[in-house]
Coordinates of all heavy atoms in Angstrom, one line a residue:
P731 N 136.1 -34.7 108.9 CA 134.8 -34.5 108.3 C 134.2 -33.2 108.7 O 134.4 -32.7 109.8 CB 133.9 -35.7 108.8 CG 134.9 -36.6 109.4 CD 136.1 -35.9 109.7
A732 N 133.4 -32.6 107.8 CA 132.7 -31.3 108.2 C 131.8 -31.6 109.3 O 131.2 -32.7 109.4 CB 131.9 -30.8 107.0
K733 N 131.6 -30.7 110.2 CA 130.8 -30.9 111.4 C 130.0 -29.6 111.7 O 130.6 -28.6 111.7 CB 131.7 -31.3 112.6 CG 130.9 -31.6 113.8 CD 130.5 -33.1 113.8 CE 129.4 -33.4 114.9 NZ 128.0 -33.1 114.4
G734 N 128.7 -29.8 112.0 CA 128.0 -28.6 112.3 C 126.5 -28.8 112.2 O 126.0 -29.7 111.5
G735 N 125.7 -28.0 112.9 CA 124.3 -28.2 113.0 C 123.5 -27.8 111.8 O 124.0 -27.4 110.7
I736 N 122.2 -28.1 111.9 CA 121.2 -27.7 110.9 C 120.2 -26.8 111.6 O 119.6 -27.3 112.6 CB 120.5 -28.9 110.3 CG1 121.5 -29.7 109.4 CG2 119.3 -28.5 109.4 CD1 121.1 -31.0 109.0
R737 N 119.9 -25.6 111.1 CA 118.8 -24.8 111.8 C 117.6 -24.6 110.8 O 117.8 -24.6 109.6 CB 119.4 -23.5 112.2 CG 119.9 -22.5 111.2 CD 120.3 -21.2 111.8 NE 121.3 -21.3 112.9 CZ 121.8 -20.3 113.6 NH1 121.5 -19.1 113.3 NH2 122.7 -20.5 114.6
F738 N 116.5 -24.5 111.5 CA 115.2 -24.2 110.8 C 114.8 -22.8 111.2 O 114.4 -22.7 112.4 CB 114.1 -25.2 111.1 CG 114.3 -26.6 110.6 CD1 113.4 -27.7 110.9 CD2 115.3 -26.9 109.7 CE1 113.6 -28.9 110.4 CE2 115.5 -28.2 109.1 CZ 114.6 -29.2 109.5
A739 N 114.7 -21.9 110.3 CA 114.2 -20.6 110.7 C 113.8 -19.8 109.5 O 114.3 -20.0 108.4 CB 115.2 -19.8 111.5
P740 N 112.8 -18.8 109.6 CA 112.4 -18.1 108.4 C 113.4 -17.2 107.8 O 113.4 -16.9 106.7 CB 111.2 -17.3 109.0 CG 111.3 -17.3 110.5 CD 112.1 -18.5 110.8
D741 N 114.4 -16.7 108.6 CA 115.4 -15.8 108.1 C 116.7 -16.4 107.9 O 117.7 -15.7 107.7 CB 115.5 -14.6 109.1 CG 115.9 -15.1 110.5 OD1 115.8 -16.3 110.8 OD2 116.3 -14.2 111.3
V742 N 116.8 -17.8 107.7 CA 118.0 -18.4 107.3 C 118.4 -17.9 106.0 O 117.6 -17.7 105.1 CB 117.8 -19.9 107.3 CG1 118.9 -20.6 106.5 CG2 117.7 -20.5 108.7
S743 N 119.7 -17.6 105.8 CA 120.2 -17.2 104.4 C 121.5 -17.9 104.2 O 122.2 -18.4 105.1 CB 120.5 -15.7 104.4 OG 121.5 -15.4 105.3
L744 N 121.9 -17.9 102.9 CA 123.2 -18.5 102.5 C 124.4 -17.9 103.3 O 125.3 -18.5 103.8 CB 123.4 -18.5 101.0 CG 124.6 -19.3 100.5 CD1 124.6 -20.8 101.0 CD2 124.6 -19.3 99.0
D745 N 124.3 -16.5 103.4 CA 125.4 -15.8 104.1 C 125.5 -16.3 105.5 O 126.6 -16.4 106.1 CB 125.2 -14.3 104.0 CG 126.0 -13.7 102.8 OD1 126.8 -14.5 102.2 OD2 125.9 -12.5 102.6
E746 N 124.3 -16.4 106.2 CA 124.3 -16.9 107.6 C 124.9 -18.3 107.7 O 125.8 -18.5 108.5 CB 122.9 -16.8 108.1 CG 122.9 -17.2 109.6 CD 121.5 -17.5 110.2 OE1 120.6 -18.0 109.4 OE2 121.3 -17.2 111.4
V747 N 124.5 -19.2 106.8 CA 125.0 -20.6 106.9 C 126.5 -20.6 106.6 O 127.2 -21.4 107.2 CB 124.2 -21.5 105.9 CG1 124.7 -22.9 106.0 CG2 122.7 -21.5 106.3
R748 N 126.9 -19.8 105.6 CA 128.4 -19.7 105.3 C 129.2 -19.3 106.6 O 130.2 -19.9 106.9 CB 128.6 -18.6 104.3 CG 128.4 -18.9 102.9 CD 128.8 -17.7 102.1 NE 128.5 -18.1 100.7 CZ 127.8 -17.3 99.9 NH1 127.3 -16.2 100.3 NH2 127.6 -17.7 98.7
A749 N 128.7 -18.3 107.3 CA 129.4 -17.8 108.4 C 129.4 -18.9 109.5 O 130.5 -19.2 110.1 CB 128.7 -16.5 109.0
L750 N 128.3 -19.5 109.7 CA 128.2 -20.5 110.8 C 129.1 -21.7 110.4 O 129.7 -22.3 111.3 CB 126.7 -20.9 110.9 CG 125.8 -19.9 111.5 CD1 124.3 -20.2 111.2 CD2 126.0 -19.8 113.1
A751 N 129.2 -22.0 109.1 CA 130.1 -23.2 108.7 C 131.5 -22.8 109.0 O 132.3 -23.6 109.6 CB 129.9 -23.5 107.3
A752 N 131.9 -21.6 108.7 CA 133.3 -21.2 109.0 C 133.6 -21.2 110.5 O 134.6 -21.7 110.9 CB 133.6 -19.8 108.4
W753 N 132.6 -20.7 111.3 CA 132.8 -20.7 112.7 C 132.9 -22.1 113.2 O 133.7 -22.3 114.2 CB 131.6 -19.9 113.4 CG 131.7 -18.5 113.2 CD1 132.8 -17.7 113.1 CD2 130.6 -17.5 113.1 NE1 132.5 -16.4 112.9 CE2 131.1 -16.2 113.0 CE3 129.2 -17.7 113.2 CZ2 130.4 -15.1 112.9 CZ3 128.4 -16.5 113.1 CH2 129.0 -15.2 113.0
M754 N 132.3 -23.1 112.6 CA 132.5 -24.5 113.1 C 133.9 -24.9 112.8 O 134.5 -25.7 113.6 CB 131.4 -25.4 112.4 CG 130.0 -25.3 112.8 SD 129.7 -25.4 114.6 CE 130.4 -27.0 115.0
T755 N 134.5 -24.5 111.6 CA 135.9 -24.9 111.4 C 136.8 -24.4 112.5 O 137.6 -25.1 113.0 CB 136.3 -24.3 110.0 OG1 135.5 -24.8 109.0 CG2 137.8 -24.7 109.7
W756 N 136.6 -23.1 112.8 CA 137.5 -22.5 113.8 C 137.2 -23.1 115.2 O 138.1 -23.3 116.0 CB 137.3 -21.0 113.8 CG 137.4 -20.3 112.5 CD1 136.5 -19.3 112.0 CD2 138.3 -20.6 111.4 NE1 136.9 -19.0 110.7 CE2 137.9 -19.8 110.3 CE3 139.3 -21.5 111.2 CZ2 138.6 -19.8 109.1 CZ3 140.0 -21.5 110.0 CH2 139.6 -20.7 108.9
K757 N 135.9 -23.3 115.5 CA 135.5 -23.9 116.8 C 136.2 -25.3 117.0 O 136.7 -25.5 118.1 CB 134.0 -24.0 116.8 CG 133.4 -24.3 118.2 CD 131.9 -24.5 118.1 CE 131.2 -23.3 117.5 NZ 129.7 -23.5 117.6
C758 N 136.0 -26.1 116.0 CA 136.6 -27.5 116.1 C 138.1 -27.4 116.3 O 138.7 -28.3 117.0 CB 136.2 -28.4 115.0 SG 134.4 -28.7 114.9
A759 N 138.7 -26.5 115.6 CA 140.2 -26.3 115.7 C 140.6 -25.8 117.1 O 141.6 -26.2 117.7 CB 140.7 -25.4 114.6
V760 N 139.8 -24.9 117.7 CA 140.1 -24.3 119.0 C 140.1 -25.4 120.0 O 141.0 -25.4 120.9 CB 139.1 -23.2 119.4 CG1 139.1 -22.8 120.8 CG2 139.4 -21.9 118.6
V761 N 139.1 -26.3 120.0 CA 139.1 -27.4 121.0 C 139.8 -28.6 120.5 O 139.8 -29.6 121.2 CB 137.6 -27.7 121.4 CG1 137.0 -26.6 122.3 CG2 136.7 -28.0 120.2
N762 N 140.5 -28.5 119.4 CA 141.4 -29.5 118.9 C 140.7 -30.9 118.7 O 141.3 -31.9 119.1 CB 142.6 -29.6 119.8 CG 143.9 -29.8 119.0 OD1 143.8 -30.1 117.8 ND2 145.0 -29.7 119.7
I763 N 139.5 -30.9 118.1 CA 138.9 -32.2 117.7 C 139.0 -32.4 116.2 O 139.0 -31.4 115.5 CB 137.4 -32.2 118.3 CG1 136.6 -31.1 117.7 CG2 137.4 -32.3 119.8 CD1 135.1 -31.2 118.1
P764 N 139.0 -33.6 115.8 CA 139.4 -33.9 114.4 C 138.2 -33.7 113.4 O 137.8 -34.7 112.7 CB 139.8 -35.4 114.4 CG 139.0 -36.0 115.5 CD 138.8 -34.9 116.5
F765 N 137.7 -32.5 113.3 CA 136.6 -32.2 112.4 C 136.9 -30.9 111.7 O 137.6 -30.1 112.2 CB 135.3 -32.0 113.2 CG 134.6 -33.2 113.7 CD1 134.1 -33.2 115.0 CD2 134.5 -34.3 113.0 CE1 133.5 -34.3 115.6 CE2 133.8 -35.5 113.5 CZ 133.3 -35.5 114.8
G766 N 136.3 -30.8 110.5 CA 136.3 -29.5 109.8 C 135.0 -28.8 110.2 O 134.4 -29.1 111.3
G767 N 134.5 -27.9 109.3 CA 133.3 -27.1 109.7 C 132.3 -27.2 108.6 O 132.6 -27.1 107.4
G768 N 131.0 -27.3 109.0 CA 129.9 -27.2 108.1 C 128.7 -26.7 108.8 O 128.7 -26.5 110.0
K769 N 127.7 -26.4 108.1 CA 126.4 -25.9 108.7 C 125.3 -26.1 107.6 O 125.6 -26.0 106.4 CB 126.5 -24.5 109.1 CG 125.5 -24.1 110.2 CD 126.1 -24.5 111.5 CE 125.3 -24.1 112.7 NZ 126.0 -24.1 113.9
G770 N 124.1 -26.2 108.1 CA 122.9 -26.3 107.2 C 121.8 -25.5 107.7 O 121.7 -25.2 108.9
G771 N 120.9 -25.2 106.8 CA 119.7 -24.5 107.3 C 118.6 -24.7 106.3 O 118.8 -25.0 105.1
V772 N 117.3 -24.6 106.8 CA 116.2 -24.6 105.9 C 115.3 -23.4 106.2 O 115.1 -23.1 107.4 CB 115.3 -25.9 106.1 CG1 114.1 -25.9 105.2 CG2 116.2 -27.2 105.8
I773 N 114.9 -22.7 105.2 CA 114.1 -21.5 105.4 C 112.6 -22.0 105.6 O 112.0 -22.5 104.7 CB 114.1 -20.6 104.2 CG1 115.6 -20.2 103.9 CG2 113.2 -19.3 104.4 CD1 115.7 -19.4 102.6
C774 N 112.2 -21.9 106.9 CA 110.8 -22.3 107.2 C 110.5 -21.7 108.6 O 111.4 -21.3 109.3 CB 110.7 -23.8 107.2 SG 111.6 -24.7 108.5
E775 N 109.2 -21.7 108.9 CA 108.7 -21.2 110.2 C 108.3 -22.4 111.0 O 107.1 -22.8 110.9 CB 107.6 -20.2 110.0 CG 107.0 -19.6 111.3 CD 108.1 -19.2 112.3 OE1 108.6 -20.0 113.1 OE2 108.4 -18.0 112.3
P776 N 109.2 -23.0 111.8 CA 108.9 -24.3 112.4 C 107.7 -24.3 113.3 O 107.0 -25.2 113.5 CB 110.2 -24.7 113.2 CG 111.0 -23.5 113.1 CD 110.6 -22.6 112.0
H777 N 107.4 -23.0 113.9 CA 106.3 -23.0 114.9 C 105.0 -23.0 114.2 O 104.0 -23.3 114.8 CB 106.4 -21.7 115.7 CG 107.8 -21.6 116.4 ND1 108.2 -22.4 117.4 CD2 108.8 -20.7 116.1 CE1 109.5 -22.1 117.7 NE2 109.9 -21.1 117.0
L778 N 105.0 -22.8 112.9 CA 103.7 -22.9 112.2 C 103.5 -24.2 111.4 O 102.6 -24.3 110.6 CB 103.6 -21.7 111.2 CG 103.7 -20.3 111.8 CD1 103.6 -19.2 110.7 CD2 102.6 -20.0 112.8
L779 N 104.5 -25.1 111.6 CA 104.4 -26.4 110.9 C 104.1 -27.5 111.9 O 104.5 -27.5 113.0 CB 105.7 -26.7 110.2 CG 106.1 -25.7 109.1 CD1 107.6 -25.7 108.8 CD2 105.3 -26.0 107.8
S780 N 103.3 -28.5 111.4 CA 103.0 -29.6 112.3 C 104.2 -30.6 112.4 O 105.1 -30.4 111.5 CB 101.8 -30.4 111.8 OG 102.2 -31.1 110.6
D781 N 104.2 -31.5 113.3 CA 105.3 -32.4 113.4 C 105.4 -33.3 112.1 O 106.6 -33.5 111.7 CB 105.0 -33.4 114.6 CG 105.4 -32.8 115.9 OD1 106.0 -31.6 115.9 OD2 105.1 -33.3 117.0
S782 N 104.3 -33.6 111.5 CA 104.4 -34.5 110.3 C 105.0 -33.6 109.2 O 105.7 -34.1 108.3 CB 103.2 -35.2 110.0 OG 102.1 -34.3 109.8
E783 N 104.6 -32.3 109.1 CA 105.2 -31.5 108.0 C 106.7 -31.3 108.3 O 107.5 -31.4 107.3 CB 104.5 -30.1 108.1 CG 103.1 -30.2 107.5 CD 102.3 -28.9 107.7 OE1 102.5 -28.2 108.7 OE2 101.3 -28.7 107.0
L784 N 107.1 -31.1 109.5 CA 108.5 -31.0 109.8 C 109.3 -32.3 109.5 O 110.4 -32.2 109.0 CB 108.7 -30.7 111.3 CG 108.4 -29.2 111.7 CD1 108.5 -29.1 113.2 CD2 109.5 -28.3 111.1
E785 N 108.6 -33.4 109.7 CA 109.3 -34.7 109.4 C 109.5 -34.8 107.9 O 110.6 -35.2 107.5 CB 108.4 -35.9 109.9 CG 109.0 -37.2 109.5 CD 108.4 -38.4 110.1 OE1 107.5 -38.3 111.0 OE2 108.8 -39.5 109.7
R786 N 108.5 -34.4 107.1 CA 108.6 -34.5 105.7 C 109.7 -33.6 105.1 O 110.5 -33.9 104.3 CB 107.3 -34.3 105.0 CG 106.3 -35.4 105.2 CD 105.1 -35.4 104.2 NE 104.2 -34.3 104.5 CZ 103.2 -34.3 105.5 NH1 103.1 -35.4 106.2 NH2 102.4 -33.3 105.7
I787 N 109.7 -32.4 105.7 CA 110.8 -31.4 105.3 C 112.2 -32.0 105.6 O 113.1 -32.0 104.8 CB 110.6 -30.0 106.0 CG1 109.3 -29.3 105.5 CG2 111.8 -29.1 105.8 CD1 109.0 -28.1 106.3
T788 N 112.3 -32.5 106.8 CA 113.6 -33.0 107.3 C 114.0 -34.2 106.4 O 115.2 -34.3 106.0 CB 113.5 -33.5 108.8 OG1 113.0 -32.4 109.5 CG2 114.9 -34.0 109.3
R789 N 113.1 -35.1 106.1 CA 113.5 -36.3 105.4 C 113.8 -35.9 103.9 O 114.8 -36.5 103.4 CB 112.3 -37.3 105.4 CG 112.2 -38.0 106.8 CD 111.2 -39.1 106.7 NE 110.9 -39.8 107.9 CZ 111.7 -40.8 108.4 NH1 112.8 -41.2 107.8 NH2 111.4 -41.3 109.6
R790 N 113.1 -35.0 103.3 CA 113.4 -34.7 101.9 C 114.7 -33.9 101.8 O 115.5 -34.1 100.9 CB 112.2 -33.9 101.3 CG 112.4 -33.6 99.9 CD 112.4 -34.8 99.0 NE 112.7 -34.5 97.6 CZ 111.9 -34.6 96.6 NH1 110.7 -35.0 96.7 NH2 112.3 -34.2 95.4
Y791 N 114.9 -33.0 102.8 CA 116.2 -32.3 102.9 C 117.3 -33.2 103.0 O 118.3 -33.1 102.3 CB 116.1 -31.3 104.1 CG 117.4 -30.6 104.4 CD1 117.9 -29.6 103.6 CD2 118.1 -31.0 105.5 CE1 119.1 -29.0 104.0 CE2 119.3 -30.4 105.9 CZ 119.8 -29.4 105.1 OH 121.0 -28.7 105.4
T792 N 117.2 -34.2 103.9 CA 118.2 -35.2 104.1 C 118.5 -36.0 102.8 O 119.6 -36.2 102.4 CB 117.8 -36.2 105.2 OG1 117.5 -35.5 106.3 CG2 118.9 -37.2 105.5
A793 N 117.4 -36.4 102.1 CA 117.6 -37.1 100.8 C 118.4 -36.2 99.8 O 119.2 -36.7 99.1 CB 116.2 -37.5 100.3
E794 N 118.0 -34.9 99.8 CA 118.7 -34.0 98.8 C 120.2 -33.8 99.1 O 120.9 -33.7 98.2 CB 118.0 -32.7 98.8 CG 116.5 -32.7 98.3 CD 116.3 -33.0 96.9 OE1 117.3 -32.9 96.1 OE2 115.2 -33.4 96.5
I795 N 120.5 -33.8 100.4 CA 121.9 -33.5 100.7 C 122.7 -34.9 101.0 O 123.8 -34.9 101.3 CB 122.1 -32.6 101.9 CG1 121.6 -33.2 103.2 CG2 121.4 -31.2 101.7 CD1 122.1 -32.5 104.5
G796 N 121.9 -36.0 100.8 CA 122.4 -37.3 101.2 C 123.8 -37.7 100.7 O 124.5 -38.4 101.4
E797 N 124.1 -37.3 99.4 CA 125.4 -37.7 98.8 C 126.5 -37.0 99.5 O 127.7 -37.4 99.4 CB 125.4 -37.2 97.4 CG 124.9 -38.1 96.4 CD 124.9 -37.3 95.0 OE1 126.0 -37.1 94.5 OE2 123.8 -36.9 94.6
F798 N 126.2 -35.9 100.2 CA 127.3 -35.1 100.7 C 127.6 -35.3 102.2 O 128.5 -34.8 102.7 CB 127.0 -33.6 100.4 CG 126.9 -33.3 99.0 CD1 125.6 -33.3 98.4 CD2 128.0 -33.0 98.2 CE1 125.5 -33.1 97.0 CE2 127.9 -32.8 96.9 CZ 126.6 -32.8 96.3
I799 N 126.7 -36.0 102.9 CA 126.9 -36.2 104.3 C 127.3 -37.7 104.5 O 127.2 -38.5 103.6 CB 125.6 -35.9 105.1 CG1 124.4 -36.7 104.7 CG2 125.3 -34.4 105.0 CD1 123.2 -36.6 105.6
G800 N 127.7 -38.0 105.7 CA 128.1 -39.3 106.1 C 129.1 -39.3 107.2 O 129.7 -38.2 107.4
P801 N 129.3 -40.3 108.0 CA 130.2 -40.3 109.1 C 131.6 -39.8 108.8 O 132.3 -39.3 109.6 CB 130.2 -41.8 109.6 CG 129.0 -42.4 109.1 CD 128.6 -41.7 107.8
E802 N 132.1 -40.1 107.5 CA 133.4 -39.7 107.2 C 133.4 -38.4 106.3 O 134.5 -37.9 105.9 CB 134.1 -40.8 106.3 CG 134.0 -42.2 106.8 CD 135.0 -42.4 108.0 OE1 135.8 -41.5 108.2 OE2 134.9 -43.5 108.6
R803 N 132.2 -37.9 106.1 CA 132.1 -36.7 105.2 C 131.7 -35.5 105.8 O 132.4 -34.4 105.8 CB 131.1 -37.0 104.1 CG 131.6 -38.0 103.1 CD 130.5 -38.1 102.0 NE 131.2 -38.8 100.9 CZ 130.8 -38.7 99.7 NH1 129.8 -38.0 99.3 NH2 131.5 -39.4 98.8
D804 N 130.5 -35.5 106.4 CA 129.9 -34.3 106.9 C 128.8 -34.8 107.9 O 128.0 -35.7 107.5 CB 129.3 -33.6 105.8 CG 128.6 -32.3 106.2 OD1 128.5 -32.0 107.4 OD2 128.2 -31.5 105.3
V805 N 128.9 -34.4 109.2 CA 128.1 -35.0 110.2 C 127.2 -33.8 110.8 O 127.7 -33.1 111.7 CB 129.0 -35.6 111.3 CG1 128.1 -36.3 112.4 CG2 130.0 -36.6 110.7
P806 N 126.0 -33.8 110.4 CA 125.1 -32.7 111.0 C 124.7 -32.9 112.5 O 125.0 -34.0 113.1 CB 123.8 -32.8 110.2 CG 124.2 -33.5 108.9 CD 125.3 -34.4 109.3
A807 N 124.1 -32.0 113.1 CA 123.7 -32.0 114.5 C 122.6 -31.0 114.7 O 122.3 -30.2 113.8 CB 124.9 -31.6 115.4
P808 N 122.0 -30.9 115.9 CA 121.0 -29.9 116.1 C 121.5 -28.5 116.2 O 122.7 -28.3 116.5 CB 120.4 -30.3 117.5 CG 120.9 -31.7 117.8 CD 122.2 -31.8 117.1
D809 N 120.7 -27.6 115.9 CA 121.0 -26.2 116.1 C 119.6 -25.5 116.3 O 118.7 -26.1 116.8 CB 121.7 -25.7 114.8 CG 122.4 -24.4 115.0 OD1 123.6 -24.4 115.5 OD2 121.9 -23.3 114.7
V810 N 119.5 -24.2 116.0 CA 118.3 -23.5 116.3 C 117.1 -24.2 115.7 O 117.0 -24.4 114.5 CB 118.4 -22.0 115.8 CG1 117.1 -21.2 116.0 CG2 119.6 -21.3 116.4
N811 N 116.1 -24.4 116.6 CA 114.8 -25.1 116.2 C 114.9 -26.5 115.6 O 114.0 -27.0 115.0 CB 114.0 -24.2 115.2 CG 113.6 -22.9 115.8 OD1 113.3 -22.8 116.9 ND2 113.6 -21.8 115.0
T812 N 116.0 -27.2 115.8 CA 116.1 -28.6 115.5 C 116.5 -29.3 116.8 O 117.1 -28.7 117.7 CB 117.1 -28.9 114.4 OG1 118.3 -28.4 114.7 CG2 116.6 -28.3 113.1
N813 N 116.2 -30.6 116.9 CA 116.4 -31.3 118.2 C 116.7 -32.8 117.9 O 116.9 -33.2 116.8 CB 115.2 -31.1 119.1 CG 113.9 -31.5 118.3 OD1 113.9 -32.4 117.5 ND2 112.8 -30.9 118.6

Side-chain angles (χ1 to χ4, degrees):
K733 186 85 193 79
I736 291 170
R737 63 176 53 179
F738 287 176
D741 56 347
V742 163
S743 68
L744 187 52
D745 264 357
E746 183 191 30
V747 178
R748 275 185 184 128
L750 290 159
W753 286 330
M754 288 308 301
T755 303
W756 312 137
K757 192 186 299 186
C758 292
V760 164
V761 286
N762 220 347
I763 57 176
F765 286 136
K769 205 78 173 199
V772 177
I773 305 174
C774 64
E775 179 47 275
H777 306 294
L778 302 179
L779 294 161
S780 70
D781 280 353
S782 57
E783 287 169 336
L784 284 171
E785 176 172 355
R786 288 195 290 278
I787 292 173
T788 305
R789 287 188 183 276
R790 184 65 189 247
Y791 170 74
T792 307
E794 297 290 343
I795 66 166
E797 270 175 71
F798 301 93
I799 60 172
E802 311 284 352
R803 288 186 165 203
D804 182 350
V805 186
D809 199 80
V810 175
N811 294 327
T812 55
N813 53 31

